[in-house]
Amino acid sequence: MENLPKDKKIILFDGICNLCNSAVQFIIKHDKKDLFRFVALQSDLGQEIIKHIGIDAKNIDSIILYQPGIAYYYKSEAALEIAKSLDGIFYFGNIFKIIPKKIRDSIYDYVARNRYKWYGKKESCMMPTAALKSKFL
C-alpha cells in the first residue's frame, strides 16, 4: 500500500465487465489533468486495496474511487466524484447529488446486477496498450 501514488485518485473497476471497461476508456479520454490511475478489482492489488479500506470482497459489484490517505467512495458516490474531477460539462453531473443516495444507489445496483447481461463480459481483465500502461497500477 505504501507504493500507491499519493497524488492520484485510484479507480477500482471490474476488469472483465464491458461496461466498466468502456467507462475506464471514457475516463482516460477525459482525464486531461491526469488525476486517475486504474486497478482491476480482480487483481492482487485491487484485492489488497479492498481489504485495506475494509470492504468485503464478496460484495464487490461496484466501482470504487480511492484517494490514498484521504477517503474512498463507492457506487453512485464514486461515479459522481469521478465526474466532478473530469474537465468540461461532466462536472455538472454532480447535479444528481440532489437525488437521495439511497435512490441513486438503488439505480446503480440495478445496472450493476444486469451489466453482464446487457453489455457482456470478457474472459479476462483488459490489458492496457503500451500508450495507456502508465495509467494502470
Side-chain angles (χ1 to χ4, degrees):
M1 298 302 298
E2 301 85 39
N3 295 334
L4 294 177
K6 303 291 186 231
D7 62 335
K8 301 294 180 190
K9 298 175 181 185
I10 300 170
I11 297 175
L12 293 102
F13 68 101
D14 182 346
I16 62 171
C17 169
N18 288 335
L19 175 62
C20 303
N21 283 302
S22 294
V24 166
Q25 295 300 320
F26 178 87
I27 294 165
I28 289 171
K29 181 179 177 181
H30 293 92
D31 181 21
K32 305 298 184 200
K33 298 175 192 165
D34 191 34
L35 298 173
F36 297 107
R37 292 299 178 262
F38 302 88
V39 177
L41 288 165
Q42 294 87 348
S43 70
D44 291 341
L45 180 58
Q47 292 298 304
E48 186 179 339
I49 293 170
I50 291 167
K51 184 178 178 182
H52 175 74
I53 60 180
I55 295 176
D56 186 351
K58 292 181 282 189
N59 296 331
I60 294 303
D61 60 355
S62 173
I63 194 167
I64 299 169
L65 176 62
Y66 176 54
Q67 294 178 263
I70 299 172
Y72 75 90
Y73 305 92
Y74 186 59
K75 297 186 181 194
S76 67
E77 199 71 30
L80 292 175
E81 286 295 320
I82 292 166
K84 185 168 74 172
S85 298
L86 295 176
D87 289 332
I89 196 164
F90 307 108
Y91 177 84
F92 295 105
N94 277 291
I95 194 162
F96 291 108
K97 283 193 175 185
I98 64 172
I99 300 170
K101 185 177 184 318
K102 189 172 184 168
I103 294 171
R104 289 192 327 255
D105 282 348
S106 293
I107 295 167
Y108 188 99
D109 289 339
Y110 178 73
V111 172
R113 276 192 309 275
N114 292 288
R115 69 189 187 278
Y116 295 146
K117 181 171 44 172
W118 295 340
Y119 299 97
K121 65 180 180 177
K122 301 178 183 315
E123 292 296 317
S124 61
C125 290
M126 174 183 82
M127 295 300 295
T129 63
L132 296 179
K133 200 165 187 104
S134 67
K135 297 272 190 187
F136 292 81
L137 302 177

